[in-house]
Every structure is written in structure tokens, then in C-alpha cells.
Amino acid sequence: MRRKLTQRGRERRDQLIRCAAQLFAERGYHPTSVADIVECLGVGKGVFYWYFSSKEELLSELLKSSHLSLRRRQQAAIGDEPDPVRRIELGIRATLQWFHEHRDYFAIIQFAATDETFAPVLRRNREVALGDTIRHLKEAIVEGRIPDSDPETLAHAIHGVIDQLTRRYLLETNEPVSRVADAAVSFCLGGLAGGLDEGVSPVS
Amino acid sequence: MRRKLTQRGRERRDQLIRCAAQLFAERGYHPTSVADIVECLGVGKGVFYWYFSSKEELLSELLKSSHLSLRRRQQAAIGDEPDPVRRIELGIRATLQWFHEHRDYFAIIQFAATDETFAPVLRRNREVALGDTIRHLKEAIVEGRIPDSDPETLAHAIHGVIDQLTRRYLLETNEPVSRVADAAVSFCLGGLAGGLDEGVSPVS
DNA sequence: CCGCACCTTGACCCAGCGGTCAAGTAGCGT
DNA sequence: ACGCTACTTGACCGCTGGGTCAAGGTGCGG
């Protein structure tokens, strides 16, 4: 469903995605009907199918676009920082900040992860995210800023920490972002310095 | 939907729950129809509604019964162990073992967590689980086996660790249970000894 | 062997869903 | 002013899926 869109068209599309995101977050994907989505915008049903070929496609696009938004935020935060370790720190902080401002997406992503249909998009997103982290890690290793160990494993560990801390502290409590970010950063940088060689657990 | 059930009746009910659990785990809750469930048992649709008043109720019962099963496993593992700290350790090991044997339930619980409908059951389950842990913790504190700090926070931290390790190592890798359990136990007991006073993160 | 309670059947009901489309409107480029 | 393309409408459709029910089977206590 690639169409030529005018400015107005692009806005409508965004409205639909935002509207759907809110409803999906509130009631879940399946219980939200296409009728609900267009009603919430006060438009006819045809509008939906002008911009998306199916409800599934909308969610896929939502997942892609939210990931893009997060990634842009990270890049903006990192800027042209030369130190790879500091880049990782800035990335972690930006990520937590973003999730804090977009709590809704967390529920949606969590749902998408339980449905095979969206596995490809999520896998893709994850690979991109890991790739970003891995690049910084490799550079940090080359420059001797952190000990030499498998960057992929390190990246997984970092993402695991962010995931868990987001879940627990950003969604379930009112903990201020900065404190959670401090904890995440200090733990991750500590983990990087120590390496992960001595055990199965990223926390050992 | 409370009915007088014969032995045979109870078995049917269990069959339905098990069958549904498998289908839910494979395809998800919404995409699995009641027709699918009864078909997988080769019985008529009426059977389903003899035992459950709705598809929702079935999932609620599934969540309750799986939690009961886990709890029984924990209690069996703990036995009459007098040392509260050791009881916590045995509980952690039993939990990981149980999740290892019932991977399917993890996906289902994860889905249920994304649907408001099941929030009450899940909350209830969680409160019971926390209560169990808290009891041991309080006793351990009274006996001076671990430093005095908020048992509820400690319990949350322990459950968080179990949750995360289950997700990462029991579901996504083939790590043997015993090694994951060792890591979980050593981290949790370490955490208990150290307390959580110095930061927001359970890993700091 | 009766009677009763438990269990099973499967055709049926129908609300509501995802998705279509012929017809119409809006606005831009020329 | 015209025409073209982007956009919008909302009635409509086929069908799926949760849920019902009258009728029939099964097995056990008396």
C-alpha cells in the first residue's frame, strides 16, 4: 500500500496511526475494531483503507514508525559525540526518556511480541537496534575503552537491562526518569567494564 | 459457573484447559476460537459451555490453575525446611524448574498481561506470590538472617530477577535450568544480604 | 428397571468484524 | 474554468466466532 500522498494525506495517515495506537494501548489490538479507529477520528471507514491495506498493516507500520522515532531520538541525543562509551550512555538515557514519553507503545510492542504475525517486523527492529549498539561497542573495544568480549552478547545484555528497568520503574512506579536512567547507565557501564565472561547471568 | 462434577467431569474440564493452553500458546488467545478448542478434543461445542460460561472464564481459570500448580510445586520443594533463607532459595529453584517444564504458560501469561480483562486475576496471583515470599523474608529478618529492610521491595526484586532470567535464559536459550537457577539464587541471596537501600535498581 | 443428574450433540443464531466499492467532494496545476 | 488526482463517504457483503438450546445418551443409586 504505497500511495502518492499530499501533505494533508500524510497528516491523515499519522492521525490514524496515533489514534489506533491510543486505542490499542487502552483496549488491546484485537478488541479494537477498524470501525472504532475511524470513529475516533470521525471519518468514514474508506479513509482507513485508503491509507492501509489491512488492520495488520497498520500495526506493522505503527511498530516501524515508533521504532524509527525512538532511533531518531537516540541519534539526536548522541549527536557527534566522539567517545563510543559516552555514546552508549547517551543512547540509554535517550531510550528511557523516549519510553517514558511513549508508555503506550510499550503495551503494544508487548502484545505484538505474542503474535507470530508481527514477529518479522519486531525481529527487524530488534536487529537494527542491536546493530546500532554493536557498532558503538566494537569501536569502544578497538579503542581499548572496554575489555574485548563478544559485542553481540554485550548488546543483548544492555537491551535486557533497559527492557526490564522500563517495565518495572517507568511503567509500574512513578520513579523519575533520571534516577532510573542513572541506575541503568551505571549498571550497564559497570557490566561493560567487567565483561560477562564469568557466568550465565548478566547480573553476576 | 460452579457445577457438580463427577470424576469424569473433572477430567474433561482439565482436558479442555490443557487443550486450550496449547492452542493459546501456539496461536494466541484471540486467534484461537472455541470451535478450535473443542475440535482439538473431538467433542461438540456444548461441552465447552457445560464447563465454562465463556472463553474469558476459561483463560481466567487457566491462569488460576497454573498459578496453583506453580505454588504447589514451590510448597512441595520447600517442605518443612526450617531456615527461611533456604526456603527462599528452594522456592526460586522450584519456580524456575516449573517454568522450564511449562514454557507454554509464559506466553499465555504475557498475553494476559496485555489485556485489562485479566488484570484482576493476574493481580491476585501476583499478590499471593508476593505474600508467600514476604512471609519468608519477614521471618528471616526477625531471625536476624538478613538485614532489616522493606520485605515487599525485596520480594518485588526477587520476582523481577526470576521473571527476567526466565524470559532470557529458559525461553530464548537452551541454558540448563540448574545453571540459571544457580545464577538466580546467588544473585538474590547476594541482593538480600546487601539490601537495596542504595538505589532504585535491584542490580545496583 | 426406573428416575434423575450429569454429560454430550451439533444445528442454529446473530452481532459485529474486516474489507469493498460506486459515487461523490476538494483542491491543485494549468 | 476544466480536469485530474487525491481523498472521503457510508451502505453493503460474506463470514467468522461466541454463545444457545432442545433433544438425546450415559451411568448410578434405589
Side-chain angles (χ1 to χ4, degrees):
Chain A
M1 178 78 39
R2 223 47 266 125
R3 275 190 198 285
K4 285 212 76 179
L5 295 183
T6 63
Q7 179 58 28
R8 187 158 145 270
R10 260 171 276 133
E11 273 160 27
R12 256 280 188 276
R13 211 183 106 105
D14 274 9
Q15 281 176 0
L16 282 165
I17 291 188
R18 274 202 306 275
C19 227
Q22 196 190 329
L23 292 171
F24 289 168
E26 275 166 20
R27 323 182 196 169
Y29 174 77
H30 288 293
T32 301
S33 69
V34 174
D36 290 335
I37 297 170
V38 295
E39 192 194 358
C40 127
L41 263 175
V43 299
K45 214 177 190 180
V47 171
F48 186 97
Y49 289 96
W50 177 259
Y51 295 101
F52 305 97
S53 61
S54 68
K55 196 180 151 192
E56 269 181 21
E57 200 203 67
L58 169 71
L59 180 49
S60 294
E61 289 298 308
L62 166 53
L63 293 170
K64 278 185 213 160
S65 85
S66 62
H67 187 247
L68 193 64
S69 154
L70 165 60
R71 205 151 169 257
R72 267 204 279 261
R73 168 71 70 91
Q74 292 167 336
Q75 281 164 354
I78 288 173
D80 56 357
E81 170 64 45
D83 176 1
V85 174
R86 177 119 178 89
R87 283 211 295 278
I88 290 170
E89 170 177 349
L90 291 169
I92 292 172
R93 290 187 188 279
T95 306
L96 288 168
Q97 186 64 41
W98 188 90
F99 271 119
H100 182 67
E101 287 163 25
H102 300 81
R103 299 169 175 231
D104 284 0
Y105 287 136
F106 207 85
I108 298 172
I109 294 169
Q110 208 167 349
F111 161 77
T114 70
D115 192 320
E116 283 303 322
T117 319
F118 307 106
V121 198
L122 288 182
R123 206 174 37 244
R124 204 160 168 46
N125 284 353
R126 200 165 93 160
E127 255 143 43
V128 171
L130 282 172
D132 284 342
T133 310
I134 289 174
R135 244 182 302 115
H136 301 139
L137 286 168
K138 279 189 176 152
E139 215 171 299
I141 291 170
V142 167
E143 292 181 16
R145 299 277 282 104
I146 60 175
D148 189 1
S149 53
D150 180 33
E152 188 170 337
T153 307
L154 291 174
H156 268 106
I158 292 174
H159 289 192
V161 171
I162 292 173
D163 187 72
Q164 182 74 342
L165 291 181
T166 303
R167 213 183 292 276
R168 295 263 171 260
Y169 295 100
L170 291 187
L171 306 181
E172 296 180 9
T173 76
N174 296 324
E175 209 66 45
V177 199
S178 59
R179 288 199 57 204
V180 183
D182 287 344
V185 166
S186 91
F187 177 68
C188 287
L189 298 191
L192 292 179
L196 287 171
D197 302 327
E198 67 272 12
V200 66
S201 159
V203 294
S204 63
Chain B
M1 178 79 37
R2 212 72 233 140
R3 277 191 196 284
K4 285 211 74 178
L5 296 183
T6 63
Q7 178 58 29
R8 187 157 145 272
R10 258 169 280 134
E11 273 161 25
R12 255 279 187 276
R13 211 184 106 105
D14 274 9
Q15 282 176 359
L16 281 166
I17 291 188
R18 276 201 304 275
C19 229
Q22 197 191 327
L23 292 172
F24 288 167
E26 276 167 18
R27 321 182 198 170
Y29 174 77
H30 288 292
T32 301
S33 69
V34 174
D36 291 335
I37 297 170
V38 296
E39 192 195 359
C40 128
L41 263 173
V43 298
K45 214 177 190 179
V47 171
F48 186 97
Y49 289 96
W50 178 259
Y51 295 101
F52 305 97
S53 60
S54 69
K55 196 181 152 191
E56 270 182 21
E57 202 204 65
L58 170 73
L59 180 50
S60 294
E61 290 297 310
L62 166 53
L63 293 170
K64 279 185 211 161
S65 85
S66 62
H67 187 248
L68 193 64
S69 153
L70 165 59
R71 204 151 171 257
R72 268 205 278 263
R73 168 70 70 90
Q74 293 167 334
Q75 281 164 356
I78 288 173
D80 55 357
E81 170 63 43
D83 176 0
V85 175
R86 179 118 177 88
R87 283 210 295 278
I88 291 171
E89 170 177 350
L90 291 169
I92 293 171
R93 289 187 189 280
T95 305
L96 287 168
Q97 185 65 41
W98 188 90
F99 271 119
H100 183 66
E101 287 164 24
H102 300 82
R103 300 169 174 232
D104 283 358
Y105 287 134
F106 208 85
I108 297 172
I109 294 170
Q110 209 167 348
F111 161 76
T114 71
D115 192 321
E116 283 303 322
T117 319
F118 307 105
V121 197
L122 288 182
R123 207 174 37 241
R124 199 157 173 48
N125 285 353
R126 202 167 91 161
E127 254 143 44
V128 171
L130 281 172
D132 285 343
T133 311
I134 289 174
R135 244 182 300 115
H136 302 138
L137 286 169
K138 279 189 176 154
E139 215 172 299
I141 291 170
V142 167
E143 291 181 19
R145 298 277 285 103
I146 61 174
D148 189 2
S149 54
D150 179 35
E152 189 170 334
T153 307
L154 292 173
H156 268 109
I158 292 174
H159 290 193
V161 171
I162 293 173
D163 187 72
Q164 182 74 340
L165 291 181
T166 304
R167 212 183 292 275
R168 294 266 170 258
Y169 294 101
L170 291 188
L171 306 180
E172 295 180 8
T173 75
N174 296 324
E175 209 66 44
V177 198
S178 59
R179 287 198 59 206
V180 184
D182 288 344
V185 167
S186 90
F187 177 68
C188 287
L189 299 191
L192 291 180
L196 286 172
D197 301 328
E198 68 274 7
V200 65
S201 161
V203 295
S204 64

